[in-house]
């Protein structure tokens, strides 16, 4: 599949600093909820769930070592890219969960999240 690529933390990860406890990323989980609620729409985006430990090689290859935080959406350069996108290694991306949710609603017709400011 080619197109926009969405990278999330794989839910249920362990933090080595807190052994025996499992976690979800609150920022990724908001997006996961939207994807799970609308599985038909979710097929339009290439979703990658990455493990918690760094380095996250898939992101390092795309955006460089300094851009490993999740969630992040890397844009398909063959389609229009929002003006507020960041750039690293020649790739355009956004890494704010609120901005990703707004983008998914605008580009892929996911429902808008009530209370997110329209920008």
């Amino acid at each position: 599949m080619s197109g926009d690529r969405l990278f999330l933390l794989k839910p249920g990860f362990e933090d080595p600093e807190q052994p025996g406890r499992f976690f979800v990323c609150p920022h990724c989980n908001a997006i996961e909820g939207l994807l799970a609620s609308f599985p038909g729409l979710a097929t339009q985006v290439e979703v990658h769930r990455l493990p918690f430990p760094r380095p996250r090689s898939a992101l390092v290859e795309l955006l460089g070592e300094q851009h490993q935080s999740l969630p992040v959406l890397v844009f398909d350069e063959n389609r229009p890219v929002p003006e507020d996108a960041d750039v690293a290694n020649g790739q355009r991306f956004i890494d704010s969960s609120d901005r990703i949710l707004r983008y998914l609603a605008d580009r892929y017709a996911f429902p808008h999240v009530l209370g997110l400011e329209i920008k």
Side-chain angles (χ1 to χ4, degrees), residues 35-107:
L35 296 173
S37 296
F38 300 92
L41 295 174
T43 62
Q44 300 175 85
V45 179
E46 187 177 320
V47 180
H48 302 269
R49 290 171 179 88
L50 304 180
F52 179 72
R54 292 181 186 210
R56 298 180 180 129
S57 58
L59 285 180
V60 171
E61 289 175 26
L62 281 173
L63 303 175
E65 267 188 75
Q66 67 278 20
H67 297 286
Q68 295 184 59
S69 296
L70 296 171
V72 65
L73 190 140
V74 179
F75 293 105
D76 174 357
E77 292 295 331
N78 296 316
R79 298 182 70 183
V81 175
E83 291 180 16
D84 63 341
D86 290 318
V87 180
N89 287 351
Q91 299 286 323
R92 306 280 312 249
F93 69 97
I94 49 177
D95 59 2
S96 155
S97 58
D98 288 352
R99 182 63 185 100
I100 291 169
L101 289 165
R102 284 194 310 271
Y103 175 79
L104 292 174
D106 293 341
R107 172 143 310 163

